[in-house]
Amino acid sequence: MTFSLTHTDTQSGARAGALHTAHGSIQTPIFMPVGTAGSVKAVHQRELEHDINAEIILGNTYHLYLRPGIELLEKAGGLHQFIGWKRPILTDSGGYQVYSLGDNRKITEEGVVFKSHIDGSSHTFTPENVMDIQRSIGADIIMAFDECTPYPCEYAYAKESMAMTHRWLTRCIHRIDTTPPKYGYEQTLFPIVQGSVYRDLREQSAEFIASQQQDGNAIGGLSVGEPHEMMYDMTSLVCGILPKDKPRYLMGVGTPENILECIALGIDMFDCVMPTRNARNGMLFTSEGIINIRNEKWKNDLSPIDPALGGYVSATYSRAYLRHLVISKEILGAQIASIHNLTFYLWLVREARTRIIDGTFSTWKNQMVKKVTQRL
Amino acid sequence: MTFSLTHTDTQSGARAGALHTAHGSIQTPIFMPVGTAGSVKAVHQRELEHDINAEIILGNTYHLYLRPGIELLEKAGGLHQFIGWKRPILTDSGGYQVYSLGDNRKITEEGVVFKSHIDGSSHTFTPENVMDIQRSIGADIIMAFDECTPYPCEYAYAKESMAMTHRWLTRCIHRIDTTPPKYGYEQTLFPIVQGSVYRDLREQSAEFIASQQQDGNAIGGLSVGEPHEMMYDMTSLVCGILPKDKPRYLMGVGTPENILECIALGIDMFDCVMPTRNARNGMLFTSEGIINIRNEKWKNDLSPIDPALGGYVSATYSRAYLRHLVISKEILGAQIASIHNLTFYLWLVREARTRIIDGTFSTWKNQMVKKVTQRL
């Protein structure tokens, strides 16, 4: 995997570049739709490709490991083949879900023992087997196995956890370096910066991660409940330390505003369940602001959802029709809203990229933040 | 609306023809996907058009009248415009849902007073206002307002109900004849034969309906719990009386076997919620038989769902992947299964049409009934 940084904004840390993988190139900054268990919820793969124009999607190792399971994924020739998706896939390490979904988890130096949220069965994740699992899933980008600390988190715990995440990283790198790719194409490991909301820990962690000289780096443990200003402060600090010539991925972020602000701080890659989860609740992100489609005010609005985006569903279906579907609990309502919100997120990062390239990013970003945060 | 009967099978009552409406032609025999409240559940309109190749869909007057309501549908310029569907639409009369969903319904000579299953509000359907409502929905084919008797049904009740349905039909025809189409294109009324499972009543009703000389005719009150042989017997009897040069629509039918048998009896049009409802429960209809995709036996089956159909999802997604999605309660599972089952139903009636035209229908039908009824 190679990354070429092609443009840097003069008034902010924003950058434009391209990430080249065995399954194609990704123009950065990019947003990665979350395909939890082998499906971006309510969205067909061809809609991801043709309507949303997603350039890479994310799979959750925890979910995929439990269901459909690694044996079947290997039999299928990996997740790409299993779900019919030809473009790149990034998998998380499963750590976040183990902590948030797994029951009775027990963290030791060796790894994490947890019980499945589906059937209560007992499982162990270690830095080594999580690398093996992601190899078997066939991810183009593999995430290091880390501990994602909650917010708030005591300093002492955050420090010890960070140190263990670093020791785990050494084991992850060793495992990746001593095992071949599973399906013949390159699989690239991204280490993860931790350190909670403590500046000295984040600095230490960023320096350690940078020193590993991997082909891309990630920032974890943010967007877990801390104030946005704190997230921006940590992101800014870490971006100042991580190498400029490698892609930077801010995990689990975020709102359209978060994404714009963090692009300005030097982030290249994002993922978040928000566009699809909120879609299923009737919350739409548009180029003019936020719409709660369940509100009476949209009942007779026969105008398209957001024609500015150019996407099929956003330009074709009316707000009144979508409202009717959502109110009537029709599955098609969730489908349309999900495609729309993802179309918006991908539009947003592509617009940002265009503005970075033409040198108008900072002005545009400030205007756009006002728009995307207002409720229509 | 015109109907041209182009082929008749020499060994059965099966026919092939074409129905020409303001929104395009329909090759018969045809199956109409049910778009209850302005959406064929879990299926995009463009999937109906391009993948399933549905030639006409059905809308439920009861649901559409309650939500989104006639005022909004009129503002949108009718249901076609509201949902973005350019091909023909048939609406039922709302009668069936009033009897099955409406609370505290009271049937009188004037019409039916019922309470909404959504909010308990009180409403009245009469032959006249149901014609007006269907005009406002903008249906190409409007169904007469009838009473659909349950099964079993006492002879005396069935006889009196049939007589009222006939009196209501006279009012429906008068209303249609004295009101203009709502949106400039022709809207055609189909009367409905009733009479429960009583041969003499069905004969009387079919003769009365035939005498009205409308452009198409329907058979209602079947597939409501009676044995299949009884349904076939009534259908055969009625088809012998209804005019040959008008399309015949058997309402609410049915399984693939029912459809094949009733095509053989002379039916041209069908609708049923079965392909979409069963899809959401993981039951798939295929050209080789019935699949319960939840069964363990499909867990590792990486072959396509049913490549013989030629449709996108049926040829692209594997049984193992669909099983995984259904087991994991992913919305995409309902989407794929719904598109698949409708693709199968449309494939089945198109195959039947091809066989009617080439003179091999009866032999093919007998083989196909064996296939579609077996569990794989």
Side-chain angles (χ1 to χ4, degrees):
Chain A
M1 197 201 74
T2 60
F3 178 66
S4 47
L5 185 65
T6 55
H7 300 81
T8 46
D9 185 41
T10 52
Q11 294 167 61
S12 76
R15 316 120 53 85
L19 201 55
H20 307 286
T21 79
H23 286 97
S25 294
I26 300 153
Q27 309 297 304
T28 62
I30 193 68
F31 177 81
M32 304 182 281
V34 179
T36 318
S39 164
V40 175
K41 288 186 191 298
V43 180
H44 279 280
Q45 277 69 301
R46 64 173 169 182
E47 292 167 340
L48 277 172
E49 191 173 335
H50 298 302
D51 297 315
I52 296 161
N53 199 15
E55 299 182 30
I56 174 173
I57 62 173
L58 184 145
N60 288 128
T61 289
Y62 171 86
H63 289 291
L64 292 165
Y65 162 81
L66 291 177
R67 241 178 5 199
I70 298 310
E71 195 183 339
L72 178 53
L73 287 173
E74 284 184 344
K75 194 181 172 210
L79 185 61
H80 289 86
Q81 299 290 329
F82 186 62
I83 71 173
W85 172 251
K86 295 184 179 67
R87 296 182 180 178
I89 295 176
L90 176 149
T91 42
D92 65 7
S93 68
Y96 183 80
Q97 278 77 27
V98 166
Y99 309 127
S100 60
L101 291 177
D103 290 331
N104 302 316
R105 66 191 179 283
K106 193 179 166 207
I107 306 176
T108 66
E109 186 67 26
E110 174 58 17
V112 184
V113 180
F114 63 97
K115 290 200 193 308
S116 159
H117 74 289
I118 299 167
D119 63 5
S121 56
S122 186
H123 302 268
T124 304
F125 275 175
T126 66
E128 290 78 13
N129 77 3
V130 165
M131 296 303 102
D132 298 346
I133 292 167
Q134 291 181 82
R135 282 234 188 266
S136 292
I137 294 172
D140 297 277
I141 300 174
I142 285 174
M143 299 306 298
F145 190 59
D146 63 342
E147 184 182 6
C148 176
T149 49
Y151 178 84
C153 178
E154 292 289 333
Y155 181 86
Y157 188 92
K159 185 175 180 177
E160 178 40 40
S161 169
M162 179 196 75
M164 187 180 67
T165 284
H166 293 175
R167 293 191 297 273
W168 283 2
L169 175 59
T170 304
R171 291 164 58 188
C172 289
I173 292 173
H174 179 73
R175 188 65 160 205
I176 288 291
D177 287 349
T178 56
T179 56
K182 198 89 188 185
Y183 307 106
Y185 56 82
E186 190 184 23
Q187 301 182 282
T188 304
L189 176 69
F190 278 26
I192 304 171
V193 174
Q194 288 289 348
S196 187
V197 295
Y198 303 106
R199 291 181 63 93
D200 64 323
L201 298 183
R202 285 283 172 184
E203 274 178 16
Q204 279 180 48
S205 188
E207 276 159 13
F208 179 79
I209 295 312
S211 74
Q212 304 300 307
Q213 301 188 300
Q214 297 298 304
D215 287 334
N217 300 293
I219 307 173
L222 293 177
S223 199
V224 292
E226 78 284 1
H228 285 173
E229 288 312 319
M230 216 173 248
M231 172 172 81
Y232 299 149
D233 187 38
M234 294 299 132
T235 300
S236 175
L237 180 71
V238 171
C239 283
I241 298 167
L242 292 177
K244 285 196 173 5
D245 60 344
K246 305 285 175 64
R248 301 166 183 153
Y249 163 32
L250 180 58
M251 303 181 77
V253 174
T255 64
E257 177 186 18
N258 293 160
I259 287 176
L260 291 172
E261 295 296 359
C262 293
I263 286 174
L265 298 175
I267 296 294
D268 306 299
M269 302 166 72
F270 300 89
D271 81 283
C272 190
V273 295
M274 187 174 277
T276 42
R277 181 175 292 167
N278 290 17
R280 296 196 299 280
N281 295 324
M283 182 178 172
L284 307 181
F285 300 100
T286 80
S287 57
E288 298 298 325
I290 295 164
I291 286 177
N292 179 348
I293 199 67
R294 306 181 68 92
N295 283 351
E296 186 80 12
K297 77 181 283 193
W298 310 113
K299 188 174 180 180
N300 294 305
D301 187 342
L302 291 164
S303 63
I305 302 167
D306 190 0
L309 308 185
Y312 172 78
V313 311
S314 312
T316 304
Y317 293 115
S318 70
R319 294 168 177 188
Y321 180 51
L322 179 54
R323 178 180 186 276
H324 163 64
L325 293 174
V326 170
I327 293 278
S328 302
K329 299 188 174 65
E330 285 287 341
I331 293 174
L332 186 59
Q335 296 175 239
I336 293 173
S338 298
I339 295 175
H340 165 75
N341 276 354
L342 288 174
T343 300
F344 171 77
Y345 265 66
L346 269 294
W347 173 87
L348 188 71
V349 293
R350 272 194 289 267
E351 280 288 299
R353 181 178 157 83
T354 302
R355 308 300 176 151
I356 293 166
I357 292 171
D358 73 15
T360 60
F361 174 76
S362 292
T363 319
W364 171 82
K365 188 265 287 180
N366 291 334
Q367 292 166 344
M368 207 64 209
V369 164
K370 281 182 199 143
K371 278 194 185 174
V372 299
T373 49
Q374 72 187 349
R375 292 193 168 259
L376 298 182
Chain B
M1 197 200 75
T2 60
F3 178 66
S4 47
L5 185 65
T6 54
H7 301 80
T8 47
D9 185 40
T10 52
Q11 294 166 63
S12 76
R15 314 118 56 84
L19 201 56
H20 307 286
T21 78
H23 287 95
S25 294
I26 301 153
Q27 309 297 304
T28 61
I30 192 69
F31 177 81
M32 304 181 281
V34 178
T36 317
S39 164
V40 174
K41 289 187 191 302
V43 180
H44 280 280
Q45 275 71 301
R46 65 174 169 180
E47 292 167 339
L48 277 173
E49 193 174 333
H50 298 303
D51 296 316
I52 296 161
N53 198 16
E55 299 182 30
I56 173 172
I57 61 172
L58 184 145
N60 288 129
T61 290
Y62 170 86
H63 290 290
L64 293 164
Y65 162 80
L66 291 178
R67 240 177 7 200
I70 297 310
E71 196 184 340
L72 178 54
L73 287 173
E74 284 183 346
K75 193 180 173 212
L79 184 62
H80 290 85
Q81 299 291 328
F82 186 62
I83 71 173
W85 172 253
K86 295 184 179 67
R87 296 182 180 180
I89 295 176
L90 177 150
T91 43
D92 66 8
S93 68
Y96 183 80
Q97 278 76 27
V98 166
Y99 309 128
S100 60
L101 291 177
D103 289 331
N104 302 317
R105 67 192 179 282
K106 193 179 167 210
I107 307 175
T108 65
E109 186 67 26
E110 173 58 17
V112 184
V113 180
F114 63 97
K115 290 199 193 309
S116 159
H117 75 290
I118 300 167
D119 63 6
S121 56
S122 187
H123 302 269
T124 304
F125 274 175
T126 66
E128 290 78 13
N129 77 5
V130 165
M131 296 304 100
D132 298 347
I133 292 167
Q134 291 182 81
R135 281 232 187 268
S136 293
I137 293 172
D140 296 278
I141 300 173
I142 285 174
M143 299 307 297
F145 190 59
D146 64 342
E147 183 182 5
C148 177
T149 50
Y151 178 83
C153 178
E154 292 289 329
Y155 181 85
Y157 188 91
K159 185 174 180 179
E160 177 41 40
S161 168
M162 178 195 77
M164 188 180 66
T165 284
H166 292 175
R167 292 190 298 273
W168 282 2
L169 175 59
T170 304
R171 290 164 58 189
C172 289
I173 291 174
H174 179 72
R175 189 63 160 208
I176 288 291
D177 286 350
T178 56
T179 55
K182 198 88 188 187
Y183 307 107
Y185 55 83
E186 190 184 23
Q187 301 183 285
T188 304
L189 176 69
F190 277 26
I192 304 171
V193 174
Q194 289 289 348
S196 186
V197 295
Y198 303 106
R199 292 181 64 94
D200 63 321
L201 298 184
R202 284 283 172 185
E203 273 179 16
Q204 279 179 47
S205 188
E207 277 159 14
F208 180 78
I209 295 312
S211 75
Q212 304 300 307
Q213 299 188 301
Q214 297 298 305
D215 287 334
N217 299 293
I219 307 173
L222 293 177
S223 200
V224 291
E226 78 284 2
H228 285 173
E229 288 311 319
M230 215 174 248
M231 172 172 79
Y232 299 148
D233 187 37
M234 295 298 132
T235 300
S236 174
L237 181 70
V238 170
C239 283
I241 298 168
L242 291 177
K244 287 197 171 5
D245 60 343
K246 305 287 175 59
R248 301 166 185 153
Y249 163 31
L250 181 56
M251 303 181 76
V253 173
T255 63
E257 178 187 17
N258 294 159
I259 287 175
L260 291 172
E261 295 296 358
C262 293
I263 286 173
L265 298 175
I267 296 294
D268 307 298
M269 303 166 72
F270 300 89
D271 80 283
C272 190
V273 295
M274 188 174 277
T276 42
R277 180 176 292 165
N278 289 18
R280 297 196 299 281
N281 295 324
M283 182 179 170
L284 307 180
F285 299 100
T286 80
S287 57
E288 298 298 325
I290 296 164
I291 286 177
N292 179 348
I293 200 67
R294 306 181 69 92
N295 282 352
E296 186 79 11
K297 77 181 282 190
W298 310 114
K299 187 172 181 183
N300 295 305
D301 187 342
L302 291 165
S303 63
I305 302 166
D306 190 0
L309 308 186
Y312 172 77
V313 311
S314 313
T316 304
Y317 294 116
S318 69
R319 293 167 178 189
Y321 180 52
L322 179 53
R323 179 180 186 276
H324 162 65
L325 293 174
V326 170
I327 294 278
S328 303
K329 298 188 176 65
E330 286 287 342
I331 293 174
L332 186 59
Q335 296 174 238
I336 292 172
S338 298
I339 295 175
H340 164 75
N341 276 355
L342 288 175
T343 299
F344 170 78
Y345 265 67
L346 269 294
W347 172 88
L348 189 70
V349 294
R350 272 194 289 268
E351 281 289 298
R353 182 180 157 82
T354 301
R355 307 300 175 151
I356 293 166
I357 292 171
D358 73 15
T360 60
F361 175 76
S362 291
T363 319
W364 172 82
K365 188 265 288 180
N366 291 333
Q367 292 167 345
M368 207 62 209
V369 164
K370 281 183 198 140
K371 279 194 184 175
V372 298
T373 49
Q374 72 187 350
R375 291 191 170 262
L376 297 181

